[in-house]
Amino acid sequence: MITHIPHISNERTEETLLRITEEMSLLTDDEKRMQPHGEGHYPSSEALREIVSLVKNIIFPDFFDRPHSAGETRRYFIGVDVITLHNQLYREIGHALQFDADREETEAEQQGYSLATQFIAKLPELKRLLYSDVQAIADNDPAVRNYAEVIMSYPVVTAMIHYRVAHALVELGIPVIPRMITEQAHSLTGIDIHPGATIGEYFAIDHGTGVVIGETCIIGSHVTIYQGVTLGARHFTYDSDGHPVNLPRHPILEDNVTVYANATVLGRITVGKGSVIGGNVWLTQSVAPGSRVVQGECSHVTISEKS
């Protein structure tokens, strides 16, 4: 028990601090209810930041880390990063498995080791996808001077690195870590992509601030969206206890769709291939391939098919 707090001269203040310290030290029923299943096992936010940084260095080795020449020097430094990534990732996956369910530490670590190896095997595909995203951004923005500018300064690259890493972990069934990783990107960029969303190759977000992409979204290839776009749910289904049920509830955007700034697309609807959704549109119904959806006079939405 605390009996004295140093450097407090006012007796009433000291009594208040002691009383509140004792009160806040009590484990409340609400606090117990919100504890994870595997009490005391938490992935480290700092370690996850380092893991994403390692992935960046491996996929873009001449941009975020020291420049590497070709050949053995490049292979050596990338090899060190790959080994370090595996070692850090399997430990954090082990913590996540214990966090999600009260597994034995040895069992969780062994499973984490295997899952981390499976993630490492996905790195070549992650690299291909991320370079296709960089290409999409460069092809859609006349302000781009070169690819290096996109890789080093565009917030969507940061968001997509985090998302693609997190989604790969979701595919491996790893709990909690994917959401922590994408929320780190959300804080850095203002782009909120749920790790469960499915996004095809050659994906571009212009500017990006305020973009929201929900968990069950399916986005095809060669899709471009602009700042302030929401791909969200229109309503939820609840179970008999009043808890929301995790059913598909977000939009499907087929290939070659463009969604302009501040458009809101809600519900399990399909935006057909090659469609264009104009700025500030509120869309809650499916549209056929090749449609053009724009705000008309008096804010009515006009839907037309391309000729």
Side-chain angles (χ1 to χ4, degrees):
M1 175 181 287
I2 298 174
T3 57
H4 178 67
I5 298 177
H7 310 303
I8 300 295
S9 57
N10 184 291
E11 185 175 340
R12 178 175 293 179
T13 297
E14 183 170 346
E15 289 176 356
T16 299
L17 297 182
L18 286 167
R19 177 176 56 80
I20 294 302
T21 298
E22 293 300 326
E23 185 173 338
M24 296 305 296
S25 298
L26 297 173
L27 187 62
T28 66
D29 290 339
D30 281 339
E31 192 175 350
K32 292 176 185 176
R33 180 169 55 85
M34 295 183 185
Q35 290 286 340
H37 296 296
E39 189 173 333
H41 298 283
Y42 300 86
S44 163
S45 294
E46 186 58 40
L48 296 182
R49 278 189 283 271
E50 177 62 22
I51 283 166
V52 174
S53 180
L54 285 164
V55 173
K56 287 200 306 183
N57 291 344
I58 293 164
I59 290 177
F60 300 103
D62 295 320
F63 295 93
F64 298 108
D65 196 9
R66 65 185 78 77
H68 304 314
S69 59
E72 289 302 313
T73 302
R74 177 184 174 92
R75 183 182 178 189
Y76 170 78
F77 283 112
I78 292 176
V80 169
D81 284 343
V82 168
I83 292 168
T84 304
L85 171 62
H86 184 270
N87 288 341
Q88 292 193 12
L89 184 58
Y90 90 76
R91 293 189 186 95
E92 295 310 311
I93 293 174
H95 292 320
L97 295 174
Q98 289 181 282
F99 173 95
D100 188 59
D102 201 9
R103 291 177 172 87
E104 292 281 341
E105 184 174 354
T106 301
E107 176 194 354
E109 189 170 279
Q110 288 174 346
Q111 190 173 354
Y113 193 91
S114 174
L115 289 167
T117 304
Q118 293 175 58
F119 174 82
I120 295 295
K122 290 175 174 280
L123 287 175
E125 176 62 8
L126 289 179
K127 181 173 183 175
R128 187 190 71 79
L129 288 169
L130 285 164
Y131 275 81
S132 81
D133 296 335
V134 171
Q135 184 73 54
I137 296 158
D139 289 348
N140 282 281
D141 187 353
V144 171
R145 297 293 178 263
N146 53 64
Y147 296 122
E149 178 184 21
V150 173
I151 293 168
M152 297 182 71
S153 65
Y154 275 49
V156 62
V157 174
T158 296
M160 290 307 292
I161 290 170
H162 283 73
Y163 159 74
R164 297 229 184 258
V165 169
H167 186 69
L169 296 170
V170 165
E171 291 178 323
L172 293 172
I174 296 166
V176 73
I177 287 176
R179 192 62 186 271
M180 293 175 71
I181 287 174
T182 52
E183 286 303 325
Q184 287 176 355
H186 185 192
S187 297
L188 290 169
T189 66
I191 299 170
D192 182 2
I193 307 176
H194 194 287
T198 300
I199 301 177
E201 63 186 19
Y202 200 85
F203 178 66
I205 303 176
D206 198 7
H207 301 294
T209 306
V211 164
V212 178
I213 300 175
E215 178 185 16
T216 62
C217 276
I218 299 175
I219 298 174
S221 299
H222 294 258
V223 170
T224 300
I225 65 177
Y226 286 76
Q227 70 272 15
V229 166
T230 297
L231 305 179
R234 188 177 180 185
H235 57 76
F236 304 109
T237 301
Y238 295 89
D239 64 19
S240 58
D241 295 322
H243 300 130
V245 180
N246 190 13
L247 296 173
R249 59 198 180 278
H250 299 102
I252 299 170
L253 272 56
E254 294 183 342
D255 296 347
N256 300 102
V257 165
T258 300
V259 185
Y260 282 100
N262 299 312
T264 299
V265 184
L266 300 181
R268 193 57 163 188
I269 64 174
T270 298
V271 178
K273 181 178 180 179
S275 293
V276 175
I277 310 301
N280 298 302
V281 163
W282 179 278
L283 185 64
T284 58
Q285 65 188 72
S286 293
V287 296
S291 295
R292 191 175 297 272
V293 183
V294 297
Q295 285 283 359
E297 292 183 338
C298 302
S299 298
H300 292 304
V301 172
T302 301
I303 303 176
S304 63
E305 293 187 15
K306 296 178 185 176
S307 59

